[in-house]
Amino acid sequence: MSATEDGAPQVEVVDPAADPGSGEPREAVMDPAKLLRIASMVRQLLDDTRQATLDDAGRKRLADIYQRSVAELGESISQDLREELAELAPPLGGVPSESEIRIAQAQLVGWLEGLFHGIQAAMFAQQAAARQQFEELRRRGLPGGQPEADGQPPGIPPRGQYL
């Protein structure tokens, strides 16, 4: 995890098997908190629309909220993810039916859940790689041998010496 220019956290979803110098685009989430807020709202809207019958005005309002949500999500993700989102969440035209709204919202929620799973998997893989590197450094860097005569482990100065 890194930070953007304004200090906000940024999460990069990186394929650990990919070559970092390959120039392939890296999927990144610039504002994870915003992404989670929007995802929670879309999920709640989907649950609410399953339970209610909407009139034309309600469907139009829900379509507007959906469009704004997709636009806001686009601002918090990298260009490659933005292109993927645009393909999966095309604009709803006119006054959509309840079925169209539910399908669009379910598709968006599914995409967001996939994104979150991808982030979790990438973070797990990065954590495992970092742990492996640490263990390798630790294995190479620890001096072997017997403790010194005064009972101190090797490499630690005798008592009374500060540097």
Side-chain angles (χ1 to χ4, degrees), residues 49-112:
T49 57
R50 286 181 180 150
Q51 299 172 10
T53 302
L54 301 170
D55 60 3
D56 282 355
R59 290 194 312 269
K60 177 69 173 136
R61 175 81 175 126
L62 199 51
D64 290 342
I65 292 170
Y66 172 82
Q67 294 303 126
R68 282 200 333 253
S69 298
V70 170
E72 289 287 326
L73 285 171
E75 293 176 7
S76 63
I77 55 179
S78 63
Q79 182 63 35
D80 53 333
L81 288 174
R82 196 173 306 127
E83 290 168 4
E84 184 179 311
L85 177 61
E87 289 177 20
L88 290 169
L92 297 173
V95 179
S97 69
E98 286 185 43
S99 299
E100 289 175 310
I101 290 172
R102 288 183 184 135
I103 290 169
Q105 288 178 319
Q107 190 172 13
L108 183 58
V109 167
W111 182 82
L112 287 165

Side-chain angles (χ1 to χ4, degrees), residues 123-162:
M123 290 176 69
F124 178 76
Q126 289 171 349
Q127 188 178 37
R131 186 177 306 124
Q132 184 179 12
Q133 287 176 340
F134 176 74
E135 289 299 324
E136 181 65 23
L137 288 173
R138 191 171 169 203
R139 187 179 57 79
R140 284 190 212 165
L142 287 179
Q146 300 294 325
E148 293 182 7
D150 65 357
Q152 289 289 99
I156 297 180
R159 292 182 194 115
Q161 293 183 358
Y162 294 103

